[in-house]
DNA sequence: TTAAGTTAAGTTTTT
DNA sequence: CTTAACTTAA
């Protein structure tokens, strides 16, 4: 079992008791160590799987580890907790948060919800959001929470500082609003769990006894609150194994505290430290390039990665005149490598600093017919149509969530406008009841007048759906919402590409619900909403499909690809202008450099580094020099070209513009089907070829996965799909969309 | 009072 | 180039 592991790796596996810090360089096989360690604990040390937990940052990482542990351990592995910080906390809070004054069916607010809530609070406190941005307050609050500073402490620290005092008031109000909405934001998930552990010794002891062996991945990214959480969990048995790499700490802006790794030995004086410095991932050229860059950072634990891998090709470096040429080159290079059979699409990844850079690549890839997938940008669950429908589900699930109710009260249009909403809100505020409760009492709000009549049908609808909750599945409820509100019908009537894309997203949401129902033993609406609240885009990457992946350097952490393109390597873009011009440029640029190190070390066989002399940013053309990081790569490792300075700038600019316009119109003219092929994960399977065909008709007996057998009583054509009505023997009459109901003719 | 149409402003990185 | 705020018409 331990064969093929190097000495250091074995040492890490065998060291099971007491605190352990594993400094694992990029590609040094840390996941392998963690999974083997788990297996060793169970099989050799006789530890009950129930007593083991592993914490990661993304669901994808958790899923991967789960899979590998399952393979190794076999029986009993399912009782090991393998999950992210956030879902671990949710799981604990769903059970015990009533000990600290919330109800266990709390909702989780994402960034959008937070902003809406904050806007509300600013209005109430008469703060002009043009001068003081909602985002600014939210950032301040988030940082306070990362450091476990509660509103009272914050306000104490704000003594004498007018700006800080105002922030303290906002923080206080914000927390109060969350509480009355029975909602937690992302940071609260951690903070409240810590609070729970600190106030309830019994609960803490329960988890101390349960989690006797704890492992934490990507430890360098933990913030103070997360560290405190781990410290509390490991308080009794001290069997804490953390794995991290200070050189890959890239989440300082999110509160990651690099001292957590640098000071681990101070916190736990009896800690053992093991360094994993042999890299198994990259060619030595790539690794040397990475070493050359990271060497320029001052505040780091000294270590040098080495490898026995072959030297490999030199690093391909090109400076282009414009960003279009850069995108062009990368598209052509990928096409060439796929054509010659060297790589498949999925072996290639394009990495960049900002999400905005993805657009150019997307356009080029469509023109060149290269299948691709963009990770990040607008999260699926942050899309308007998805948030609308989820808000309906949330309202049905937990009407204490004012935000959700207000989001959908006039979607679709019910003739309820801002004025009516303020009046209801005022009433609710005065009576200290929730917004939804106020809606139910619309008749008793005198200022409403005739508007009260418009509110009633909405309340009736929500109440009706709520009573259905007991007997119907989540997917059935969702379908009812879509049906009753006419959400999809409205989009169909719009008949634009955008509306079609939205309908597809809704279809995908329906598939996700059905998938959830099938995977879960006891599916509930709350359960589904929870799962949905904690997914990140990176989680949806699947290895089976063949497409080029485009993403930010941040999203790329933890992944590896044979062929990597680092695009936009320009001073001002990467390192970003923000970091160069900040108050503390040395520190911020070191963080950017670590990001660059992460980028380089994603590559296994081939690395291409590109940049452009000019590019459009926010409608303005910027002229940038080659990134300082490129210059830090030893020059003997580089091969490539630098674009000659062009004399006639303006003429160039104009022809470029024309070319761009052409590419854009081509982009628009492409039939939907092709665009979906390019981005398969966003497309709904049956929609890719347009209209689906049915092998059954009215009168036929069909079978449904959940509802069993039934007779088709009606088929209505709607856009690309059919709405099928079936009279089931056991479940009664149901209406459903053919594309996802997957009915089988018998 | 609502809803559509028009103009102005703003964009690092994210669980 | 997108999104939010403002204006104006119904």
């Amino acid at each position: 079992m331990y064969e093929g592991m190097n000495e250091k790796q074995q040492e890490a596996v065998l060291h099971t008791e007491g605190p352990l810090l594993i400094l694992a360089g990029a590609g040094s096989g840390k996941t392998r160590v963690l999974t083997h360690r788990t297996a060793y604990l169970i099989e050799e040390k006789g530890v009950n799987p129930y007593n083991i937990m592993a914490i990661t940052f993304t669901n994808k990482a958790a899923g991967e580890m789960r899979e590998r542990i399952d393979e190794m351990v076999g029986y009993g592995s399912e009782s090991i907790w393998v999950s992210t910080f956030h879902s671990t906390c949710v799981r604990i809070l769903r059970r015990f948060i009533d000990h600290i004054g919330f109800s266990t069916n709390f909702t989780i607010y994402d960034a959008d919800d937070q902003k809406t809530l904050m806007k509300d609070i600013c209005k109430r406190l008469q703060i002009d959001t043009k001068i003081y941005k909602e985002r600014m307050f939210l950032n301040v609050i988030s940082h306070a929470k990362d450091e476990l500073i509660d509103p009272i402490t914050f306000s104490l620290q704000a003594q004498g500082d007018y700006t800080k005092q105002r922030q303290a008031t906002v923080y206080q109000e914000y927390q109060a609003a969350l509480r009355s909405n029975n909602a937690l934001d992302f940071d609260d998930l951690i903070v409240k769990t810590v609070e729970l552990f600190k106030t309830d010794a019994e609960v803490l002891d329960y988890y101390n006894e349960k989690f006797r062996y704890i492992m934490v991945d990507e430890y360098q990214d933990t913030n103070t609150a997360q560290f405190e959480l781990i410290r509390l969990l490991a308080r009794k048995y001290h069997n804490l194994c953390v794995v991290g790499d200070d050189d890959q700490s890239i989440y300082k802006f999110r509160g990651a505290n690099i001292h957590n790794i640098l000071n681990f030995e101070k916190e736990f004086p009896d800690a053992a430290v093991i360094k994993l410095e042999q890299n198994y991932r990259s060619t030595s050229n790539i690794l040397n390039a990475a070493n050359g860059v990271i060497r320029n950072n001052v505040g780091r634990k000294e270590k040098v990665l080495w490898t026995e891998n072959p030297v490999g090709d030199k690093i391909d470096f090109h400076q282009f005149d414009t960003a279009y040429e850069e995108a062009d080159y990368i598209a052509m290079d990928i096409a060439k490598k796929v054509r010659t059979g060297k790589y498949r699409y999925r072996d290639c990844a394009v990495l960049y600093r900002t999400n905005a850079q993805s657009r150019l690549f997307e356009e080029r890839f469509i023109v060149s017919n290269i299948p691709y997938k963009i990770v990040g940008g607008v999260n699926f669950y942050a899309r308007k149509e998805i948030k609308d429908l989820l808000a309906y589900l949330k309202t049905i699930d937990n009407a204490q969530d004012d935000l959700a109710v207000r989001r959908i009260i006039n979607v679709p249009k019910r003739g309820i406008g801002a004025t009516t909403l303020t009046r209801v809100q005022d009433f609710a505020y005065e009576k200290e009841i929730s917004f939804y409760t106020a809606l139910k009492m619309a008749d008793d709000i005198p200022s409403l007048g005739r508007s009260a009549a418009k509110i009633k049908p909405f309340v009736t609808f929500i109440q009706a759906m709520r009573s259905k909750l007991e007997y119907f599945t989540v997917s059935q409820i969702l379908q009812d919402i879509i049906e009753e509100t006419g959400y999809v019908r409205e989009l169909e009537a719009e008949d634009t590409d955008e509306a079609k894309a939205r309908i597809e997203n809704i279809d995908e949401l329906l598939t996700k619900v059905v998938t959830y129902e099938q995977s879960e033993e006891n599916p509930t609406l709350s359960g589904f909403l929870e799962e949905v609240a904690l997914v990140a885009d990176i989680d949806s990457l699947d290895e089976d499909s063949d497409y080029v992946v485009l993403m930010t350097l941040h999203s790329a952490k933890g992944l590896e690809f044979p062929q990597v393109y680092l695009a936009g390597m320009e001073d001002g873009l990467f390192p970003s202008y923000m970091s160069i011009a900040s108050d503390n440029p040395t520190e911020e640029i070191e963080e950017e450099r670590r990001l660059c190190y992460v980028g380089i070390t994603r590559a296994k066989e081939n690395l291409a580094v590109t940049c452009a002399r000019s590019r459009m940013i926010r409608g303005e053309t910027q002229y940038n020099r080659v990134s300082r990081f490129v210059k830090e790569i030893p020059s003997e490792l580089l091969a490539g070209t630098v674009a000659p300075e062009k004399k006639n700038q303006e003429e160039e600019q104009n022809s470029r513009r024309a070319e761009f316009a052409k590419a854009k119109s081509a982009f628009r003219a492409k039939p939907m089907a092709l665009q979906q092929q390019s981005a398969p994960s966003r497309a709904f399977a049956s929609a890719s070829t347009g209209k689906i065909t049915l092998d059954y008709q009215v009168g036929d007996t069909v079978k449904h996965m959940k509802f069993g057998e039934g007779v088709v009583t009606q088929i209505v054509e709607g856009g690309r799909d059919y709405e099928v009505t079936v009279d089931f023997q056991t479940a009664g009459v149901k209406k459903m969309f053919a594309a996802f109901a997957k009915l089988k003719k018998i």
Side-chain angles (χ1 to χ4, degrees), chain A residues 486-520:
Chain A
Y487 203 103
V488 168
R489 273 196 301 278
E490 218 169 80
L491 285 171
E492 277 168 356
E494 248 181 69
D495 198 35
T496 58
D497 281 358
E498 196 194 326
K500 279 180 195 152
R502 288 188 192 284
I503 295 172
E504 263 148 36
N505 287 333
I506 292 171
D507 285 342
E508 189 164 332
L509 180 68
L510 278 161
T511 357
K512 288 196 184 206
V513 178
V514 174
T515 317
Y516 165 77
E517 286 170 344
Q518 285 167 347
S519 66
E520 207 71 14

Coordinates of all heavy atoms in Angstrom, one line a residue, chain A residues 486-520:
Chain A
G486 N -46.4 31.4 -15.0 CA -46.2 31.7 -16.4 C -44.8 32.2 -16.8 O -44.6 32.9 -17.7
Y487 N -43.8 31.8 -15.9 CA -42.5 32.3 -16.1 C -41.9 32.0 -17.4 O -41.4 32.8 -18.2 CB -41.6 31.8 -14.9 CG -40.4 32.6 -14.7 CD1 -40.3 33.5 -13.6 CD2 -39.3 32.6 -15.5 CE1 -39.2 34.3 -13.3 CE2 -38.2 33.4 -15.3 CZ -38.2 34.2 -14.2 OH -37.1 35.0 -14.0
V488 N -42.0 30.7 -17.8 CA -41.4 30.2 -19.0 C -42.2 30.7 -20.2 O -41.7 31.1 -21.2 CB -41.3 28.7 -19.0 CG1 -41.0 28.2 -20.4 CG2 -40.2 28.2 -18.1
R489 N -43.5 30.7 -20.1 CA -44.4 31.2 -21.1 C -44.0 32.7 -21.5 O -43.9 33.0 -22.7 CB -45.9 31.2 -20.7 CG -46.5 29.9 -21.0 CD -48.0 30.0 -20.9 NE -48.5 30.5 -19.6 CZ -48.7 29.7 -18.6 NH1 -48.4 28.4 -18.7 NH2 -49.1 30.2 -17.4
E490 N -43.7 33.5 -20.5 CA -43.4 34.9 -20.7 C -42.1 35.0 -21.5 O -42.0 35.7 -22.5 CB -43.2 35.6 -19.4 CG -43.7 37.0 -19.4 CD -43.8 37.6 -18.0 OE1 -42.7 38.0 -17.5 OE2 -44.9 37.6 -17.4
L491 N -41.1 34.1 -21.1 CA -39.9 34.1 -21.8 C -40.0 33.7 -23.3 O -39.4 34.2 -24.2 CB -38.9 33.2 -21.1 CG -38.3 33.8 -19.8 CD1 -37.5 32.7 -19.1 CD2 -37.4 35.0 -20.1
E492 N -40.9 32.6 -23.5 CA -41.1 32.1 -24.8 C -41.7 33.2 -25.7 O -41.3 33.3 -26.9 CB -42.1 30.9 -24.8 CG -41.3 29.6 -24.4 CD -42.3 28.5 -24.1 OE1 -43.5 28.7 -24.0 OE2 -41.8 27.4 -23.9
A493 N -42.5 34.0 -25.1 CA -43.2 35.1 -25.9 C -42.1 36.1 -26.3 O -42.3 36.8 -27.3 CB -44.3 35.7 -25.0
E494 N -41.1 36.3 -25.5 CA -40.1 37.3 -25.8 C -39.4 36.9 -27.1 O -39.0 37.7 -27.9 CB -39.1 37.3 -24.7 CG -39.0 38.6 -23.9 CD -38.0 38.6 -22.8 OE1 -36.8 38.6 -23.2 OE2 -38.4 38.5 -21.6
D495 N -39.1 35.6 -27.2 CA -38.5 35.0 -28.4 C -37.2 35.7 -28.8 O -36.9 36.0 -30.0 CB -39.5 35.1 -29.6 CG -39.1 34.2 -30.7 OD1 -38.6 33.1 -30.4 OD2 -39.3 34.5 -31.9
T496 N -36.3 35.9 -27.9 CA -35.0 36.4 -28.2 C -34.0 35.3 -27.8 O -34.3 34.3 -27.1 CB -34.6 37.6 -27.3 OG1 -34.7 37.3 -26.0 CG2 -35.5 38.8 -27.7
D497 N -32.8 35.4 -28.3 CA -31.7 34.4 -27.9 C -31.5 34.4 -26.4 O -31.3 33.3 -25.8 CB -30.4 34.8 -28.6 CG -30.4 34.3 -30.1 OD1 -31.4 33.7 -30.5 OD2 -29.5 34.6 -30.8
E498 N -31.6 35.6 -25.8 CA -31.3 35.7 -24.4 C -32.4 34.9 -23.6 O -32.1 34.2 -22.7 CB -31.3 37.1 -24.0 CG -30.7 37.4 -22.6 CD -31.0 38.8 -22.1 OE1 -31.1 39.7 -22.9 OE2 -31.2 38.9 -20.9
A499 N -33.7 35.1 -24.1 CA -34.8 34.4 -23.4 C -34.7 32.9 -23.5 O -34.9 32.2 -22.6 CB -36.1 34.9 -24.0
K500 N -34.2 32.5 -24.7 CA -34.0 31.0 -24.9 C -33.0 30.5 -24.0 O -33.1 29.4 -23.4 CB -33.6 30.8 -26.4 CG -34.8 30.8 -27.3 CD -34.4 30.5 -28.7 CE -35.5 30.9 -29.7 NZ -34.9 31.3 -31.0
A501 N -31.9 31.3 -23.8 CA -30.8 30.8 -22.9 C -31.4 30.7 -21.5 O -31.0 29.8 -20.8 CB -29.7 31.8 -23.0
R502 N -32.3 31.6 -21.1 CA -32.8 31.6 -19.8 C -33.7 30.4 -19.6 O -33.7 29.8 -18.5 CB -33.7 32.9 -19.6 CG -32.8 34.1 -19.4 CD -33.7 35.3 -19.0 NE -33.0 36.6 -19.1 CZ -32.1 37.0 -18.2 NH1 -31.7 36.2 -17.2 NH2 -31.5 38.1 -18.4
I503 N -34.5 30.1 -20.6 CA -35.3 28.9 -20.5 C -34.4 27.6 -20.3 O -34.7 26.7 -19.5 CB -36.2 28.7 -21.8 CG1 -37.2 29.9 -21.8 CG2 -37.0 27.4 -21.7 CD1 -38.0 30.0 -23.1
E504 N -33.3 27.6 -21.1 CA -32.4 26.5 -20.9 C -31.9 26.4 -19.5 O -31.7 25.3 -19.0 CB -31.3 26.6 -21.9 CG -31.5 25.8 -23.2 CD -30.9 26.5 -24.4 OE1 -29.8 27.1 -24.2 OE2 -31.5 26.4 -25.4
N505 N -31.6 27.5 -18.9 CA -31.1 27.5 -17.6 C -32.1 27.0 -16.6 O -31.8 26.2 -15.7 CB -30.7 28.9 -17.1 CG -29.4 29.4 -17.8 OD1 -28.6 28.6 -18.2 ND2 -29.2 30.7 -18.0
I506 N -33.4 27.4 -16.9 CA -34.5 26.9 -16.0 C -34.6 25.3 -16.2 O -34.8 24.6 -15.2 CB -35.8 27.6 -16.4 CG1 -35.7 29.0 -16.0 CG2 -37.0 26.9 -15.7 CD1 -36.8 29.9 -16.4
D507 N -34.5 24.9 -17.4 CA -34.5 23.4 -17.7 C -33.4 22.8 -16.9 O -33.6 21.7 -16.3 CB -34.3 23.1 -19.2 CG -35.6 23.4 -20.0 OD1 -36.6 23.5 -19.3 OD2 -35.5 23.6 -21.2
E508 N -32.2 23.4 -16.9 CA -31.1 22.8 -16.2 C -31.4 22.8 -14.7 O -31.0 21.8 -14.0 CB -29.8 23.6 -16.5 CG -28.6 22.9 -15.9 CD -27.3 23.3 -16.5 OE1 -27.3 23.8 -17.7 OE2 -26.3 23.2 -15.8
L509 N -32.0 23.8 -14.2 CA -32.4 23.9 -12.8 C -33.3 22.7 -12.4 O -33.1 22.0 -11.4 CB -33.0 25.2 -12.4 CG -33.5 25.3 -10.9 CD1 -32.2 25.4 -10.0 CD2 -34.3 26.5 -10.7
L510 N -34.2 22.4 -13.3 CA -35.2 21.3 -13.1 C -34.4 20.0 -13.1 O -34.7 19.1 -12.3 CB -36.2 21.3 -14.2 CG -37.4 22.3 -14.0 CD1 -38.1 22.5 -15.3 CD2 -38.3 21.7 -13.0
T511 N -33.4 19.8 -14.0 CA -32.6 18.6 -14.0 C -31.9 18.5 -12.7 O -31.8 17.4 -12.2 CB -31.6 18.6 -15.1 OG1 -31.7 19.8 -15.9 CG2 -31.7 17.4 -16.0
K512 N -31.4 19.6 -12.2 CA -30.6 19.6 -11.0 C -31.5 19.1 -9.8 O -31.1 18.4 -8.9 CB -30.0 20.9 -10.7 CG -28.9 21.2 -11.6 CD -27.9 22.3 -11.2 CE -26.9 22.4 -12.4 NZ -25.7 22.8 -12.3
V513 N -32.8 19.6 -9.8 CA -33.7 19.2 -8.8 C -33.9 17.7 -8.8 O -33.8 17.0 -7.8 CB -35.0 19.9 -8.9 CG1 -36.0 19.4 -7.8 CG2 -34.9 21.4 -8.7
V514 N -34.2 17.2 -10.1 CA -34.4 15.8 -10.2 C -33.2 14.9 -9.8 O -33.3 13.9 -9.1 CB -34.8 15.4 -11.7 CG1 -35.0 13.9 -11.9 CG2 -36.1 16.1 -12.0
T515 N -32.0 15.4 -10.2 CA -30.8 14.7 -9.8 C -30.7 14.7 -8.3 O -30.3 13.7 -7.7 CB -29.5 15.5 -10.4 OG1 -29.8 15.8 -11.7 CG2 -28.3 14.6 -10.3
Y516 N -31.0 15.8 -7.7 CA -30.9 15.9 -6.2 C -31.9 14.9 -5.6 O -31.5 14.1 -4.7 CB -31.3 17.3 -5.8 CG -31.6 17.4 -4.3 CD1 -30.6 17.3 -3.3 CD2 -32.9 17.4 -3.8 CE1 -30.9 17.4 -2.0 CE2 -33.2 17.5 -2.5 CZ -32.2 17.4 -1.6 OH -32.5 17.5 -0.2
E517 N -33.1 14.8 -6.2 CA -34.1 13.9 -5.6 C -33.6 12.4 -5.7 O -33.9 11.6 -4.9 CB -35.4 14.1 -6.3 CG -36.1 15.4 -5.8 CD -37.3 15.7 -6.7 OE1 -37.5 15.1 -7.8 OE2 -38.1 16.5 -6.2
Q518 N -32.9 12.2 -6.8 CA -32.5 10.8 -7.0 C -31.3 10.4 -6.1 O -31.2 9.3 -5.7 CB -32.1 10.6 -8.5 CG -33.4 10.5 -9.4 CD -33.0 10.6 -10.8 OE1 -31.9 11.0 -11.2 NE2 -34.0 10.3 -11.7
S519 N -30.5 11.4 -5.9 CA -29.2 11.1 -5.1 C -29.5 11.1 -3.6 O -28.7 10.5 -2.9 CB -28.1 12.1 -5.5 OG -28.5 13.4 -5.0
E520 N -30.6 11.7 -3.2 CA -30.8 11.8 -1.8 C -31.8 10.8 -1.3 O -32.8 10.5 -2.0 CB -31.3 13.2 -1.5 CG -31.0 13.8 -0.2 CD -29.6 14.1 0.0 OE1 -28.8 14.2 -1.0 OE2 -29.2 14.3 1.2

